[in-house]
Amino acid sequence: MNVKHLLEKLNIQPKKSLGQNFLQDPNTLDKIANAADIAPTDTVLEIGAGTGALTIKLAQRAAQVLAIEIDERLLPLLHSQLRDFPNVNVYHADILQVDLDVLLGGRPYLVVANLPYYITSKILRHLFEARHKAQRLVLTVQQEVAERLVAAPGEMSLLSVSAQFYGSPRIVARLSPSVFYPRPEVASAVVRIDVYAQPPVEVPDEQVFFHVVSAGFGQRRKQLKNSLSSGLAISHTAAADLLTRAGVDPMRRAETLSLEEWAAIARLFAAQDARLFVQ
Ligand code: SAM
């Protein structure tokens, strides 16, 4: 039975507010599960199990699947769809409230999910900031977000810097709205992010790095010397000096910088004598 009929039979109306666009095309489900290169010994975390269509594909490939779903209306359906898969544990929870370190108990894991688009950035942040991170993520997101994740200097954003700091993102498939029910208003893409064991650039400390990057993107259209001056609460002269010493023209804009350039600025900022930065 297709997803639409299944939900109609159960009298479940998909909720836009929960980002409910369910996948119903078997080829797409296989494509997503295959992109994760799941080994029979792997543990997979699925965010937003929905009707269980993707969960089944994951359960057929992995040792264990931990499937999180916030909508309690879907739980009876999930339990019945997954009854032949004792290797699946369904949790009724909001992923943003789940402590991944506790849930996974320190074992290696992958994340595969068709994300609820209304909280994509928050979920990415939750995954990246977990103490014990996934080895790789295969995520269906809005195409526009996918493009931001893989952007190159010239079109970078805080999201691209974060994703590329934690891993190497690439787009593995583009999905038309027709593979979902109901159809989303936007095109989608599947992104695979292989998470690094160590960041690809040397930073003094992750917090300082992101403090500097967030300051830089705080006023995106401004030249870096201005955005860093207000975001880091330092004088224009100190900001220009910091950038020059990091080898970055103070007139450039945040979206043009590479990760290495951000790291160079963050290293110098961290090493600075605080007195130099009093306005
Ligand atoms: N995996 C299913 C599929 O591919 O058909 C459903 C994907 S649908 C785009 C997103 C799912 O995430 C929905 O089932 C929705 O109820 C669930 N969801 C939304 N917000 C959530 C949250 N904060 N925590 C866990 N699940 C959530």
Side-chain angles (χ1 to χ4, degrees), residues 3 15 17-24 29 32 46-55 68-74 78 91-98 112-119 123 140 179-181:
V3 176
K15 280 191 185 167
S17 62
L18 287 179
Q20 291 183 342
N21 300 98
F22 301 108
L23 279 169
Q24 53 176 0
L29 291 162
I32 296 172
E46 187 193 6
I47 300 166
T51 62
L54 181 59
T55 324
I68 316 278
E69 176 52 58
I70 199 171
D71 187 351
E72 65 177 351
R73 300 175 308 159
L74 297 169
L78 274 172
Y91 298 89
H92 176 217
D94 173 350
I95 185 62
L96 299 177
Q97 304 301 324
V98 173
V112 182
N114 171 18
L115 288 182
Y117 293 169
Y118 74 107
I119 43 168
I123 293 177
T140 303
V179 298
F180 299 89
Y181 171 77

Side-chain angles (χ1 to χ4, degrees), residues 57-234:
K57 300 288 184 186
L58 303 175
Q60 289 166 340
R61 291 163 170 80
Q64 202 184 10
V65 179
L66 310 178
I68 316 278
E69 176 52 58
I70 199 171
D71 187 351
E72 65 177 351
R73 300 175 308 159
L74 297 169
L75 298 182
L77 171 61
L78 274 172
H79 287 296
S80 93
Q81 297 285 83
L82 299 166
R83 65 183 172 271
D84 295 334
F85 296 95
N87 60 338
V88 179
N89 293 80
V90 175
Y91 298 89
H92 176 217
D94 173 350
I95 185 62
L96 299 177
Q97 304 301 324
V98 173
D99 183 330
L100 298 173
D101 298 326
V102 173
L103 179 70
L104 275 308
R107 71 198 130 139
Y109 66 103
L110 316 178
V111 174
V112 182
N114 171 18
L115 288 182
Y117 293 169
Y118 74 107
I119 43 168
T120 303
S121 303
K122 284 189 179 157
I123 293 177
L124 284 171
R125 198 165 165 181
H126 191 57
L127 295 171
F128 289 146
E129 290 182 356
R131 204 166 48 82
H132 176 56
K133 297 181 198 10
Q135 293 175 307
R136 60 184 165 278
L137 318 169
V138 172
L139 306 172
T140 303
V141 296
Q142 279 177 244
Q143 187 162 297
E144 181 241 316
V145 172
E147 264 143 28
R148 278 166 55 205
L149 289 169
V150 303
E155 290 181 351
M156 297 292 277
S157 61
L158 185 53
L159 187 70
S160 353
V161 175
S162 316
Q164 295 171 28
F165 179 79
Y166 290 112
S168 63
R170 62 193 162 93
I171 295 178
V172 292
R174 293 180 193 270
L175 307 181
S176 124
S178 65
V179 298
F180 299 89
Y181 171 77
R183 287 169 176 237
E185 277 144 26
V186 290
S188 301
V190 182
V191 179
R192 170 170 163 155
I193 305 176
D194 290 275
V195 177
Y196 297 127
Q198 296 295 330
V201 290
E202 196 196 320
V203 296
D205 157 300
E206 278 186 28
Q207 267 190 332
V208 173
F209 176 75
F210 282 109
H211 179 52
V212 169
V213 177
S214 307
F217 282 105
Q219 291 166 308
R220 235 188 128 185
R221 302 277 155 231
K222 287 209 172 169
Q223 294 177 357
L224 271 173
K225 67 174 186 318
N226 297 324
S227 53
L228 286 186
S229 155
S230 57
L232 298 175
I234 59 180

